[in-house]
Amino acid sequence: GQRQARPDTPPISIRSSIPHSPDDTHIANLRLSVFSNFDAEKQRAFRHRSVEVLNIRRRRGAVVLVAEIPAEEDENFNYLNAMEARIASGHTFGEQRTEPSVSSYDAVAHVTNNIATIPKQQQHEGTLRSNNKMIIGSVECSHHEFKGTMLGNSRPKGALMYVTEVAVRPNKRRCGAGAALMKGVDEVAALRNVETIYLHVDVRNKAACAMYERMGYHHLDKREPLYAQFTASLNLHDGAMHGRKHHLMCKHVDEKTTWL
C-alpha cells in the first residue's frame, strides 16, 4: 500500500537555492549524508568539492531546489560551524542579499521572497539557519547531460530535463519532502517548457522507486540503444559504480512529446 507520512509532519516549502550562499553548505551536507563511512578529513574534502561542482553545474544551467520546514529550537543540524561555512560558501555573513529574479535562475514560480543571510544571533555552534527555517532536502534539475547523446539529439533543444542528487535528511524522511521536491521539479519543467523528465535511481532503493512511480514516472528499457548510450554516458550502466545497478525512469510532463 501507499506509505503514510508521519503524523507530526510540519509544513514543507520549496524554493530555489541561492548561489554562493549558506544554502550551498546545507546542500553539500545533505549529499554527504549518504557517505556515512567518511572520516572527518574526507567529509571536509567532500563538502569543498561538492560546493565547487554545484556552482559549476549552476553555470551550465542547473537549478537546485531545497525543501524547508520551520526550524526547531532544539534541533542539532550537524552542519559546519559559522567560520567553516563562510569559507565553504565564499560568502560573508551579515551582508544583506536580495532574492534573485525568477528569470535569473529559472526558479520555481513560488520562490520565497526576502531571503537574506543568516543573522548573527541565529548562528549557533554547529548550526546554520535561514529565516528560522531548516533545509531538509534538495534536488538538482539540469539539461546538459543530454548534450551529444543519441537521446538528446533525437528531441528538440530544451525538451528534456534530468533530475539528480535527490537528498533528504535521514531523520526527516517519510514526511513528504521527497514528493514536495518532485512537485517543484514539475514546476521548473513547466517554466522551461520541458516535455520529458528523466532520472536514474539505484535498483536497491525501493522507497525512492515507489515515490517516483507515485509521482508519475515509469521505467524504461535500458537495453534500447537510445537509453543504453545515455546511461553509459553518465557512467551509470550496470556495474560501473562499485557493482551498482540503476533504473532509468521518465515522466512526460507534456502530452505532446516531439521526436526529431
Side-chain angles (χ1 to χ4, degrees), residues 57 62-63 139-146 151 159-165 185 192 194 196-201 217 230-231 234 236 246-249:
R57 291 176 62 84
V63 60
V139 63
E140 185 174 321
C141 314
S142 55
H143 54 80
H144 63 264
E145 286 85 357
F146 301 100
L151 179 58
L160 306 180
M161 191 167 77
Y162 188 68
V163 171
T164 187
E165 300 288 3
V185 168
R192 292 183 169 183
V194 167
T196 310
I197 307 171
Y198 291 86
L199 59 83
H200 284 92
V201 58
Y217 289 79
F230 174 64
T231 296
L234 300 176
L236 292 174
H246 296 81
H247 293 305
L248 175 61
M249 304 181 73

Side-chain angles (χ1 to χ4, degrees), residues 37 83 108 113 156 209:
N37 60 335
M83 182 58 70
V108 293
N113 295 320
C209 291

Side-chain angles (χ1 to χ4, degrees), residues 4-257:
Q4 298 296 317
R6 296 186 311 200
D8 58 341
T9 299
I12 300 170
S13 57
I14 305 295
R15 64 172 174 83
S16 175
S17 64
I18 304 173
H20 304 291
S21 80
D23 283 356
D24 290 355
T25 302
H26 291 276
I27 295 165
N29 277 282
L30 282 166
R31 295 177 178 181
L32 177 62
S33 67
V34 302
F35 300 104
S36 56
N37 60 335
F38 277 10
D39 58 26
E41 185 58 37
K42 285 183 178 179
Q43 288 180 25
R44 275 193 293 272
F46 180 94
R47 289 188 188 104
H48 179 74
R49 181 58 182 158
S50 183
V51 170
E52 283 184 342
V53 171
L54 180 63
N55 286 295
I56 289 171
R57 291 176 62 84
R58 280 195 182 110
R59 290 195 291 272
R60 299 180 70 181
V63 60
V64 182
L65 307 180
V66 294
E68 294 180 316
I69 61 172
E72 303 167 18
E73 287 302 319
D74 59 348
E75 184 73 35
N76 177 13
F77 288 77
N78 294 319
Y79 286 159
L80 300 179
N81 63 37
M83 182 58 70
E84 286 176 315
R86 290 174 186 162
I87 296 169
S89 66
H91 180 69
T92 304
F93 289 168
E95 238 183 313
Q96 294 297 309
R97 290 177 66 90
T98 56
E99 174 69 9
S101 66
V102 170
S103 59
S104 297
Y105 297 112
D106 215 6
V108 293
H110 57 285
V111 169
T112 53
N113 295 320
N114 302 319
I115 299 174
T117 55
I118 301 172
K120 290 186 183 298
Q121 63 267 26
Q122 292 181 9
Q123 293 174 22
H124 303 296
E125 183 178 357
T127 300
L128 292 180
R129 297 184 180 185
S130 177
N131 285 352
N132 293 321
K133 289 189 175 182
M134 173 174 64
I135 293 176
I136 62 167
S138 66
V139 63
E140 185 174 321
C141 314
S142 55
H143 54 80
H144 63 264
E145 286 85 357
F146 301 100
K147 187 175 181 180
T149 67
M150 291 191 294
L151 179 58
N153 291 337
S154 61
R155 302 290 297 275
K157 185 177 181 179
L160 306 180
M161 191 167 77
Y162 188 68
V163 171
T164 187
E165 300 288 3
V166 183
V168 176
R169 289 190 65 191
N171 67 337
K172 297 298 180 183
R173 290 170 185 165
R174 291 191 65 200
C175 71
L181 285 165
M182 298 310 291
K183 288 177 183 177
V185 168
D186 288 346
E187 294 195 31
V188 174
L191 283 170
R192 292 183 169 183
N193 297 315
V194 167
E195 293 180 0
T196 310
I197 307 171
Y198 291 86
L199 59 83
H200 284 92
V201 58
D202 193 309
V203 298
R204 297 169 300 180
N205 194 341
K206 304 298 184 185
C209 291
M211 181 195 71
Y212 295 139
E213 289 171 358
R214 289 195 298 271
M215 299 303 296
Y217 289 79
H218 63 272
H219 294 266
L220 296 169
D221 186 350
K222 291 188 304 180
R223 295 171 298 180
E224 291 190 24
L226 199 69
Y227 303 131
Q229 192 258 351
F230 174 64
T231 296
S233 74
L234 300 176
N235 202 35
L236 292 174
H237 50 290
D238 290 353
M241 299 180 64
H242 307 290
R244 293 167 62 187
K245 296 182 179 182
H246 296 81
H247 293 305
L248 175 61
M249 304 181 73
C250 85
K251 175 181 182 177
H252 298 300
V253 292
D254 193 321
E255 292 182 2
K256 177 192 69 173
T257 55

